[in-house]
Amino acid sequence: MAKGNNIHPIIFFIAAALLLSAGSIMNDFPIFIFFGFTPLFALTDRTGDVSNVWEKMEWVFLSLVVYFLAIHLFDFSFIVSSFIYGILFTLPFIGFIWVRQVLGKYIGNFTIILFWLAIEFALLKLRPSQSIFLADTLRFRSEWMVWNTHTGYLGASAWILLGNFVAYQAFLSENRFQWYWILLLVIIIAAPLIYSFMLNSEPVTRKDLMNLYRDKLIVKDVMYLARGEFIVRTSAWISALILLITLIKSQTSKR
């Protein structure tokens, strides 16, 4: 279980809500978004048997509702959509718990990232114009994401989630504190930034994303036109494979 196992879940909820809100509201410096999901990884890691799954997931859900409300600057006319998004993106955390219970504890929390990106890909295919993506948190700092011509616009979603995952490993996981996780966290956040400022090209924007997946207009970046959003697309296929294996294992174990 996670470090600080005696900490009440509400502490993780408050930390996640504050960090995610700060990351969403501080458009000019959304650095906190790289740490806002860390308490949610810890909450999920603290979920043991089936009896306490929903207790912990309630806090994850509420944290995500606050996050989606913060994106709209706490305009409560968006409360219904925030609840819907909260439910939708709680599923990756529930899915991870189910997979871990069936396939064993060696299944890492990294699975949450794959499931989250798979849901973003589903939203991209079903309702691209109306959907909210984690990458949108960085939309006002496009100069941070010039590298996304290699990954697609939603590569920024993977970047944010990966940073949170490493921060979780560094500060809240069950493992003994290791400095290399701190070093890796600095590299994961700083390396794409440095690489972006070294490039002379333009980043893939949400407008490019919409052009490619909704309007089918000409996309200015040939590389992006060829690759599309392969990060989330690949995550969707891997997630489907993981869930299929888990389903088969759960059914065969009942016999």
PDB file of all heavy atoms in Angstrom, residues 192-213:
ATOM      1  N   PRO A 192      10.958  17.595 -22.362  1.00  0.00           N
ATOM      2  CA  PRO A 192      10.104  18.062 -23.462  1.00  0.00           C
ATOM      3  C   PRO A 192      10.082  19.585 -23.583  1.00  0.00           C
ATOM      4  O   PRO A 192       9.986  20.115 -24.709  1.00  0.00           O
ATOM      5  CB  PRO A 192       8.721  17.518 -23.083  1.00  0.00           C
ATOM      6  CG  PRO A 192       9.001  16.348 -22.211  1.00  0.00           C
ATOM      7  CD  PRO A 192      10.206  16.745 -21.422  1.00  0.00           C
ATOM      8  N   LEU A 193      10.171  20.276 -22.438  1.00  0.00           N
ATOM      9  CA  LEU A 193      10.187  21.744 -22.482  1.00  0.00           C
ATOM     10  C   LEU A 193      11.440  22.241 -23.194  1.00  0.00           C
ATOM     11  O   LEU A 193      11.373  23.112 -24.072  1.00  0.00           O
ATOM     12  CB  LEU A 193      10.130  22.311 -21.067  1.00  0.00           C
ATOM     13  CG  LEU A 193       8.825  22.139 -20.293  1.00  0.00           C
ATOM     14  CD1 LEU A 193       8.986  22.620 -18.859  1.00  0.00           C
ATOM     15  CD2 LEU A 193       7.700  22.899 -20.972  1.00  0.00           C
ATOM     16  N   ILE A 194      12.577  21.693 -22.808  1.00  0.00           N
ATOM     17  CA  ILE A 194      13.844  22.110 -23.428  1.00  0.00           C
ATOM     18  C   ILE A 194      13.844  21.781 -24.915  1.00  0.00           C
ATOM     19  O   ILE A 194      14.242  22.602 -25.752  1.00  0.00           O
ATOM     20  CB  ILE A 194      15.024  21.416 -22.719  1.00  0.00           C
ATOM     21  CG1 ILE A 194      15.120  21.902 -21.268  1.00  0.00           C
ATOM     22  CG2 ILE A 194      16.330  21.693 -23.462  1.00  0.00           C
ATOM     23  CD1 ILE A 194      16.121  21.139 -20.430  1.00  0.00           C
ATOM     24  N   TYR A 195      13.359  20.589 -25.245  1.00  0.00           N
ATOM     25  CA  TYR A 195      13.310  20.183 -26.651  1.00  0.00           C
ATOM     26  C   TYR A 195      12.399  21.107 -27.462  1.00  0.00           C
ATOM     27  O   TYR A 195      12.709  21.462 -28.606  1.00  0.00           O
ATOM     28  CB  TYR A 195      12.826  18.738 -26.745  1.00  0.00           C
ATOM     29  CG  TYR A 195      12.815  18.180 -28.152  1.00  0.00           C
ATOM     30  CD1 TYR A 195      13.944  18.196 -28.945  1.00  0.00           C
ATOM     31  CD2 TYR A 195      11.647  17.633 -28.683  1.00  0.00           C
ATOM     32  CE1 TYR A 195      13.936  17.682 -30.230  1.00  0.00           C
ATOM     33  CE2 TYR A 195      11.618  17.114 -29.973  1.00  0.00           C
ATOM     34  CZ  TYR A 195      12.761  17.143 -30.740  1.00  0.00           C
ATOM     35  OH  TYR A 195      12.749  16.639 -32.012  1.00  0.00           O
ATOM     36  N   SER A 196      11.278  21.519 -26.862  1.00  0.00           N
ATOM     37  CA  SER A 196      10.344  22.420 -27.551  1.00  0.00           C
ATOM     38  C   SER A 196      11.000  23.742 -27.887  1.00  0.00           C
ATOM     39  O   SER A 196      10.817  24.282 -28.984  1.00  0.00           O
ATOM     40  CB  SER A 196       9.105  22.647 -26.677  1.00  0.00           C
ATOM     41  OG  SER A 196       8.281  21.512 -26.647  1.00  0.00           O
ATOM     42  N   PHE A 197      11.762  24.288 -26.949  1.00  0.00           N
ATOM     43  CA  PHE A 197      12.397  25.582 -27.184  1.00  0.00           C
ATOM     44  C   PHE A 197      13.571  25.480 -28.157  1.00  0.00           C
ATOM     45  O   PHE A 197      14.043  26.498 -28.663  1.00  0.00           O
ATOM     46  CB  PHE A 197      12.858  26.185 -25.858  1.00  0.00           C
ATOM     47  CG  PHE A 197      11.715  26.665 -24.993  1.00  0.00           C
ATOM     48  CD1 PHE A 197      11.444  26.070 -23.770  1.00  0.00           C
ATOM     49  CD2 PHE A 197      10.894  27.699 -25.417  1.00  0.00           C
ATOM     50  CE1 PHE A 197      10.389  26.501 -22.981  1.00  0.00           C
ATOM     51  CE2 PHE A 197       9.831  28.135 -24.638  1.00  0.00           C
ATOM     52  CZ  PHE A 197       9.577  27.536 -23.415  1.00  0.00           C
ATOM     53  N   MET A 198      13.997  24.261 -28.430  1.00  0.00           N
ATOM     54  CA  MET A 198      15.070  24.068 -29.407  1.00  0.00           C
ATOM     55  C   MET A 198      14.527  23.931 -30.824  1.00  0.00           C
ATOM     56  O   MET A 198      15.277  24.088 -31.793  1.00  0.00           O
ATOM     57  CB  MET A 198      15.873  22.806 -29.045  1.00  0.00           C
ATOM     58  CG  MET A 198      16.681  22.928 -27.768  1.00  0.00           C
ATOM     59  SD  MET A 198      17.438  21.344 -27.292  1.00  0.00           S
ATOM     60  CE  MET A 198      18.435  20.982 -28.730  1.00  0.00           C
ATOM     61  N   LEU A 199      13.239  23.637 -30.957  1.00  0.00           N
ATOM     62  CA  LEU A 199      12.643  23.422 -32.268  1.00  0.00           C
ATOM     63  C   LEU A 199      12.157  24.735 -32.880  1.00  0.00           C
ATOM     64  O   LEU A 199      11.766  25.664 -32.162  1.00  0.00           O
ATOM     65  CB  LEU A 199      11.467  22.450 -32.156  1.00  0.00           C
ATOM     66  CG  LEU A 199      11.818  21.015 -31.719  1.00  0.00           C
ATOM     67  CD1 LEU A 199      10.538  20.207 -31.504  1.00  0.00           C
ATOM     68  CD2 LEU A 199      12.703  20.344 -32.759  1.00  0.00           C
ATOM     69  N   ASN A 200      12.138  24.782 -34.190  1.00  0.00           N
ATOM     70  CA  ASN A 200      11.650  25.961 -34.906  1.00  0.00           C
ATOM     71  C   ASN A 200      10.266  25.741 -35.504  1.00  0.00           C
ATOM     72  O   ASN A 200       9.682  26.665 -36.074  1.00  0.00           O
ATOM     73  CB  ASN A 200      12.627  26.334 -36.033  1.00  0.00           C
ATOM     74  CG  ASN A 200      13.973  26.789 -35.489  1.00  0.00           C
ATOM     75  OD1 ASN A 200      14.029  27.492 -34.485  1.00  0.00           O
ATOM     76  ND2 ASN A 200      15.045  26.373 -36.155  1.00  0.00           N
ATOM     77  N   SER A 201       9.736  24.527 -35.385  1.00  0.00           N
ATOM     78  CA  SER A 201       8.443  24.206 -35.973  1.00  0.00           C
ATOM     79  C   SER A 201       7.303  24.682 -35.076  1.00  0.00           C
ATOM     80  O   SER A 201       7.514  25.172 -33.962  1.00  0.00           O
ATOM     81  CB  SER A 201       8.341  22.698 -36.194  1.00  0.00           C
ATOM     82  OG  SER A 201       8.555  22.003 -34.985  1.00  0.00           O
ATOM     83  N   GLU A 202       6.081  24.518 -35.579  1.00  0.00           N
ATOM     84  CA  GLU A 202       4.890  24.893 -34.836  1.00  0.00           C
ATOM     85  C   GLU A 202       4.291  23.673 -34.145  1.00  0.00           C
ATOM     86  O   GLU A 202       4.341  22.567 -34.690  1.00  0.00           O
ATOM     87  CB  GLU A 202       3.841  25.492 -35.784  1.00  0.00           C
ATOM     88  CG  GLU A 202       4.245  26.820 -36.394  1.00  0.00           C
ATOM     89  CD  GLU A 202       4.334  27.923 -35.351  1.00  0.00           C
ATOM     90  OE1 GLU A 202       3.512  27.922 -34.418  1.00  0.00           O
ATOM     91  OE2 GLU A 202       5.242  28.763 -35.483  1.00  0.00           O
ATOM     92  N   PRO A 203       3.716  23.847 -32.956  1.00  0.00           N
ATOM     93  CA  PRO A 203       3.093  22.703 -32.274  1.00  0.00           C
ATOM     94  C   PRO A 203       1.770  22.325 -32.915  1.00  0.00           C
ATOM     95  O   PRO A 203       1.138  23.134 -33.607  1.00  0.00           O
ATOM     96  CB  PRO A 203       2.880  23.231 -30.849  1.00  0.00           C
ATOM     97  CG  PRO A 203       2.679  24.707 -31.039  1.00  0.00           C
ATOM     98  CD  PRO A 203       3.617  25.090 -32.163  1.00  0.00           C
ATOM     99  N   VAL A 204       1.355  21.091 -32.702  1.00  0.00           N
ATOM    100  CA  VAL A 204       0.011  20.669 -33.083  1.00  0.00           C
ATOM    101  C   VAL A 204      -0.956  21.266 -32.071  1.00  0.00           C
ATOM    102  O   VAL A 204      -0.774  21.140 -30.861  1.00  0.00           O
ATOM    103  CB  VAL A 204      -0.102  19.133 -33.086  1.00  0.00           C
ATOM    104  CG1 VAL A 204      -1.537  18.704 -33.351  1.00  0.00           C
ATOM    105  CG2 VAL A 204       0.843  18.531 -34.116  1.00  0.00           C
ATOM    106  N   THR A 205      -1.980  21.946 -32.548  1.00  0.00           N
ATOM    107  CA  THR A 205      -2.945  22.605 -31.673  1.00  0.00           C
ATOM    108  C   THR A 205      -4.270  21.859 -31.674  1.00  0.00           C
ATOM    109  O   THR A 205      -4.475  20.932 -32.463  1.00  0.00           O
ATOM    110  CB  THR A 205      -3.187  24.046 -32.136  1.00  0.00           C
ATOM    111  OG1 THR A 205      -3.812  24.023 -33.438  1.00  0.00           O
ATOM    112  CG2 THR A 205      -1.874  24.827 -32.221  1.00  0.00           C
ATOM    113  N   ARG A 206      -5.159  22.287 -30.791  1.00  0.00           N
ATOM    114  CA  ARG A 206      -6.488  21.677 -30.763  1.00  0.00           C
ATOM    115  C   ARG A 206      -7.212  21.909 -32.097  1.00  0.00           C
ATOM    116  O   ARG A 206      -7.977  21.055 -32.545  1.00  0.00           O
ATOM    117  CB  ARG A 206      -7.313  22.228 -29.606  1.00  0.00           C
ATOM    118  CG  ARG A 206      -8.687  21.544 -29.510  1.00  0.00           C
ATOM    119  CD  ARG A 206      -9.514  22.054 -28.347  1.00  0.00           C
ATOM    120  NE  ARG A 206     -10.850  21.487 -28.440  1.00  0.00           N
ATOM    121  CZ  ARG A 206     -11.330  20.534 -27.658  1.00  0.00           C
ATOM    122  NH1 ARG A 206     -10.587  20.007 -26.704  1.00  0.00           N
ATOM    123  NH2 ARG A 206     -12.568  20.091 -27.817  1.00  0.00           N
ATOM    124  N   LYS A 207      -6.956  23.050 -32.730  1.00  0.00           N
ATOM    125  CA  LYS A 207      -7.564  23.317 -34.029  1.00  0.00           C
ATOM    126  C   LYS A 207      -7.119  22.282 -35.054  1.00  0.00           C
ATOM    127  O   LYS A 207      -7.927  21.797 -35.855  1.00  0.00           O
ATOM    128  CB  LYS A 207      -7.196  24.721 -34.498  1.00  0.00           C
ATOM    129  CG  LYS A 207      -7.821  25.106 -35.826  1.00  0.00           C
ATOM    130  CD  LYS A 207      -7.444  26.528 -36.231  1.00  0.00           C
ATOM    131  CE  LYS A 207      -8.068  26.889 -37.570  1.00  0.00           C
ATOM    132  NZ  LYS A 207      -7.689  28.271 -37.981  1.00  0.00           N
ATOM    133  N   ASP A 208      -5.830  21.928 -35.033  1.00  0.00           N
ATOM    134  CA  ASP A 208      -5.330  20.883 -35.934  1.00  0.00           C
ATOM    135  C   ASP A 208      -6.005  19.550 -35.638  1.00  0.00           C
ATOM    136  O   ASP A 208      -6.342  18.793 -36.554  1.00  0.00           O
ATOM    137  CB  ASP A 208      -3.815  20.734 -35.782  1.00  0.00           C
ATOM    138  CG  ASP A 208      -3.067  21.986 -36.182  1.00  0.00           C
ATOM    139  OD1 ASP A 208      -3.487  22.631 -37.166  1.00  0.00           O
ATOM    140  OD2 ASP A 208      -2.079  22.333 -35.513  1.00  0.00           O
ATOM    141  N   LEU A 209      -6.186  19.279 -34.359  1.00  0.00           N
ATOM    142  CA  LEU A 209      -6.863  18.051 -33.935  1.00  0.00           C
ATOM    143  C   LEU A 209      -8.274  17.993 -34.505  1.00  0.00           C
ATOM    144  O   LEU A 209      -8.713  16.976 -35.038  1.00  0.00           O
ATOM    145  CB  LEU A 209      -6.906  17.985 -32.409  1.00  0.00           C
ATOM    146  CG  LEU A 209      -7.604  16.788 -31.771  1.00  0.00           C
ATOM    147  CD1 LEU A 209      -6.732  15.553 -31.855  1.00  0.00           C
ATOM    148  CD2 LEU A 209      -7.948  17.084 -30.310  1.00  0.00           C
ATOM    149  N   MET A 210      -8.988  19.120 -34.395  1.00  0.00           N
ATOM    150  CA  MET A 210     -10.361  19.165 -34.899  1.00  0.00           C
ATOM    151  C   MET A 210     -10.395  19.038 -36.413  1.00  0.00           C
ATOM    152  O   MET A 210     -11.262  18.371 -36.979  1.00  0.00           O
ATOM    153  CB  MET A 210     -11.031  20.479 -34.468  1.00  0.00           C
ATOM    154  CG  MET A 210     -11.259  20.615 -32.972  1.00  0.00           C
ATOM    155  SD  MET A 210     -12.299  19.304 -32.282  1.00  0.00           S
ATOM    156  CE  MET A 210     -11.059  18.276 -31.476  1.00  0.00           C
ATOM    157  N   ASN A 211      -9.441  19.674 -37.074  1.00  0.00           N
ATOM    158  CA  ASN A 211      -9.393  19.589 -38.532  1.00  0.00           C
ATOM    159  C   ASN A 211      -9.205  18.153 -39.008  1.00  0.00           C
ATOM    160  O   ASN A 211      -9.800  17.729 -40.003  1.00  0.00           O
ATOM    161  CB  ASN A 211      -8.251  20.451 -39.069  1.00  0.00           C
ATOM    162  CG  ASN A 211      -8.562  21.933 -39.002  1.00  0.00           C
ATOM    163  OD1 ASN A 211      -9.711  22.328 -38.834  1.00  0.00           O
ATOM    164  ND2 ASN A 211      -7.534  22.751 -39.110  1.00  0.00           N
ATOM    165  N   LEU A 212      -8.391  17.414 -38.269  1.00  0.00           N
ATOM    166  CA  LEU A 212      -8.068  16.055 -38.684  1.00  0.00           C
ATOM    167  C   LEU A 212      -9.197  15.073 -38.371  1.00  0.00           C
ATOM    168  O   LEU A 212      -9.494  14.186 -39.162  1.00  0.00           O
ATOM    169  CB  LEU A 212      -6.779  15.591 -38.004  1.00  0.00           C
ATOM    170  CG  LEU A 212      -6.256  14.209 -38.419  1.00  0.00           C
ATOM    171  CD1 LEU A 212      -5.937  14.176 -39.910  1.00  0.00           C
ATOM    172  CD2 LEU A 212      -5.029  13.837 -37.606  1.00  0.00           C
ATOM    173  N   TYR A 213      -9.853  15.268 -37.221  1.00  0.00           N
ATOM    174  CA  TYR A 213     -10.816  14.261 -36.770  1.00  0.00           C
ATOM    175  C   TYR A 213     -12.279  14.676 -36.906  1.00  0.00           C
ATOM    176  O   TYR A 213     -13.158  13.867 -36.692  1.00  0.00           O
ATOM    177  CB  TYR A 213     -10.527  13.885 -35.310  1.00  0.00           C
ATOM    178  CG  TYR A 213      -9.357  12.954 -35.190  1.00  0.00           C
ATOM    179  CD1 TYR A 213      -8.066  13.458 -35.079  1.00  0.00           C
ATOM    180  CD2 TYR A 213      -9.527  11.579 -35.232  1.00  0.00           C
ATOM    181  CE1 TYR A 213      -6.973  12.605 -34.997  1.00  0.00           C
ATOM    182  CE2 TYR A 213      -8.443  10.719 -35.143  1.00  0.00           C
ATOM    183  CZ  TYR A 213      -7.169  11.240 -35.021  1.00  0.00           C
ATOM    184  OH  TYR A 213      -6.095  10.393 -34.948  1.00  0.00           O
TER     185      TYR A 213
END
